[in-house]
Amino acid sequence: MIEFFTPISKEVAKFRKDLPNHTLGKLIDAFVDGNEFPDVQNASMAIVAVLDTRSADDEIGANLNPNSVRKELYKLYKGNWDSKIVDLGDVISGHRREDSRYALKIIVEGLVKLNVIPIILGGSQDLVYGQYRAYDGIAKMVTVVNIDSRFDIGDSEAPMANTSYVGKMIVDEPFNLHHYAVLGYQSFFNPPEEIALMDKLYFDAYRLGEVTADISIAEPVLRNADVVCLDISAIKSADLRCRSQVNPNGFDGREICALARYAGISNRVSSFGIYEIPEEIDTQGAILLAQILWYFMEGVNFRIADEHFENTELYTHYVVPLEEMDLTFIRSNKSDRWWMELPFLEGHDNKFNRHTLLPCTKADYLAACNQEIPERWLKARLKNEINL
């Protein structure tokens, strides 16, 4: 793995030395020129900066400069955590974009196999394809959640770009994409045919206003994810203040940090990436991205092992009789998180068995009590039935 990396810059290494004790810069074991590569095997999380910012129309491109984000992250004090975090340095752009995606695939695969969560600082978002493909030899099926104003499906037959990598994930073998969800999409950025395709494939799409009206609806979506990626264009320009990402509407700083924390506390999320970071980002943008990373790290440190469903004493079961069936809900007595059962999969020996319990909210239970079938349950049923 070390062959893909170059050390953090001398500028950041010097900056790190002068920081106060108990800041992240003092506690993160970083790959510094002249030092040994960090001990990855004993780490919980690993920061990886992939410098490739090339889009479909820019084969030469420029490299992401992660120095400002690293500095702002290193300046922050750690929370009440004890997890070991390493910074593996920078992955230089490959000769082609495919080379950068391949390098990220190998890196993420190696880290996930060691139970280390990669935290990716990336340029062009088509790098997510490499993050996703890392699971080819790890998981039979993968759920990807994208925090983005766009679906990024695009034309699967055209060359891959930062707005069309999801189409490739859908059609390329091996077919490992079990589910795809987008949080914060804005209708006017998405072609009608992509909106229709999301519905046809029973993927989940939550509009920006829907999520900002009740940020908690994103928690079960992120709890069900293996891969989480964040396009910084999903953030309101006034909060990000990034010249190359201009969008008057989007998540504000508090909302995007809450989503990052939800991703962190999910027991299933095993890789997290922030993409479309421009070559130069101003101080406010770097501070916000650093705080997003901090909240994700905090979430990881406060994960609750509450999915040992065989121990019935840890859960409360609720059975809601509906006209055509009974719906079963499970609430964790430890975390107060909710799941609903998908009974139509019982008895089937297939690759979807691990999805028979679907994360949900208490609101889904209350809706069922009012004789309303929760939409997420219905979508999951329809999607899984066509895959049996």
Side-chain angles (χ1 to χ4, degrees):
M1 188 185 299
I2 187 174
E3 64 271 16
F4 291 109
F5 289 97
T6 60
I8 63 172
S9 71
K10 293 180 180 179
E11 173 192 351
V12 175
K14 182 178 182 302
F15 174 84
R16 181 169 166 262
K17 282 185 177 180
D18 299 328
L19 290 170
N21 292 331
H22 307 298
T23 56
L24 288 178
K26 287 292 189 183
L27 299 172
I28 291 174
D29 185 8
F31 184 26
V32 179
D33 191 23
N35 290 3
E36 292 185 359
F37 196 65
D39 178 11
V40 176
Q41 293 195 4
N42 293 315
S44 298
M45 291 167 273
I47 299 169
V48 175
V50 186
L51 306 187
D52 201 329
T53 63
R54 289 173 290 189
S55 65
D57 300 324
D58 184 6
E59 279 296 341
I60 300 175
N63 278 336
L64 164 70
N65 182 355
N67 291 353
S68 56
V69 178
R70 272 202 176 98
K71 285 181 179 180
E72 297 302 333
L73 177 65
Y74 284 3
K75 283 162 59 175
L76 301 178
Y77 287 89
K78 82 176 188 73
N80 185 24
W81 328 322
D82 55 9
S83 295
K84 180 180 178 181
I85 305 169
V86 295
D87 188 339
L88 302 184
D90 300 333
V91 180
I92 300 298
S93 299
H95 180 67
R96 302 172 303 163
R97 296 197 318 279
E98 291 85 346
D99 300 327
S100 297
R101 291 194 291 263
Y102 177 76
L104 182 59
K105 172 189 182 297
I106 299 301
I107 292 164
V108 172
E109 180 182 14
L111 291 172
V112 172
K113 283 182 175 179
L114 292 172
N115 293 317
V116 179
I117 300 173
I119 299 176
I120 304 153
L121 297 174
S124 181
Q125 201 178 10
D126 58 277
L127 289 166
V128 173
Y129 186 83
Q131 182 183 353
Y132 159 72
R133 276 297 166 208
Y135 292 79
D136 286 351
I138 300 173
K140 290 182 179 179
M141 300 301 288
V142 179
T143 293
V144 177
V145 174
N146 185 15
I147 304 170
D148 202 335
S149 59
R150 295 172 170 83
F151 297 139
D152 294 337
I153 296 176
D155 182 357
S156 61
E157 296 183 1
M160 190 183 304
N162 56 349
T163 56
S164 63
Y165 60 93
V166 176
K168 297 289 189 182
M169 288 162 53
I170 294 170
V171 303
D172 284 359
E173 295 186 31
F175 304 119
N176 292 341
L177 184 64
H178 172 256
H179 193 57
Y180 176 63
V182 179
L183 295 171
Y185 86 93
Q186 298 177 46
S187 297
F188 41 70
F189 287 143
N190 294 279
E193 57 269 23
E194 289 196 14
I195 297 176
L197 183 59
M198 290 286 290
D199 189 55
K200 181 179 180 181
L201 295 174
Y202 303 112
F203 290 157
D204 287 327
Y206 295 83
R207 293 180 66 169
L208 175 65
E210 189 179 2
V211 182
T212 56
D214 181 8
I215 199 76
S216 67
I217 67 171
E219 187 277 326
V221 179
L222 290 161
R223 195 185 343 147
N224 201 39
D226 300 287
V227 173
V228 176
C229 51
L230 163 62
D231 184 332
I232 68 167
S233 68
I235 304 170
K236 187 187 303 182
S237 298
D239 285 36
L240 189 64
R241 285 186 56 184
C242 177
R243 290 187 299 274
S244 63
Q245 297 287 354
V246 180
N247 185 7
N249 292 300
F251 293 113
D252 64 26
R254 291 178 62 186
E255 293 160 349
I256 202 67
C257 288
L259 293 176
R261 194 175 191 279
Y262 282 148
I265 62 175
S266 165
N267 292 320
R268 273 186 54 185
V269 171
S270 53
S271 65
F272 177 76
I274 301 179
Y275 295 95
E276 298 298 328
I277 303 173
E279 302 154 35
E280 295 295 335
I281 188 168
D282 69 10
T283 301
Q284 179 169 319
I287 291 172
L288 179 55
L289 295 187
Q291 291 179 2
I292 292 169
L293 296 175
W294 189 95
Y295 274 101
F296 177 79
M297 293 173 182
E298 182 185 61
V300 171
N301 277 272
F302 287 104
R303 288 184 173 185
I304 299 172
D306 63 351
E307 297 181 3
H308 302 295
F309 298 110
E310 64 278 1
N311 188 343
T312 56
E313 294 181 359
L314 299 177
Y315 302 90
T316 303
H317 287 67
Y318 303 83
V319 179
V320 181
L322 299 178
E323 186 175 342
E324 297 181 356
M325 73 197 86
D326 292 345
L327 289 188
T328 300
F329 290 83
I330 301 174
R331 180 180 65 84
S332 167
N333 298 331
K334 184 189 296 186
S335 67
D336 201 33
R337 293 195 286 202
W338 290 72
W339 292 261
M340 49 189 170
E341 201 172 82
L342 303 178
F344 53 87
L345 286 178
E346 289 181 354
H348 288 275
D349 183 18
N350 61 65
K351 60 188 176 182
F352 297 102
N353 279 341
R354 73 187 180 104
H355 296 280
T356 55
L357 286 176
L358 183 67
C360 66
T361 65
K362 185 178 181 180
D364 292 313
Y365 164 69
L366 295 175
C369 291
N370 289 325
Q371 299 298 294
E372 299 173 12
I373 299 178
E375 184 179 356
R376 74 175 84 240
W377 187 94
L378 187 58
K379 274 191 172 183
R381 172 175 180 168
L382 293 170
K383 182 179 179 65
N384 286 343
E385 280 186 338
I386 65 174
N387 285 286
L388 285 177

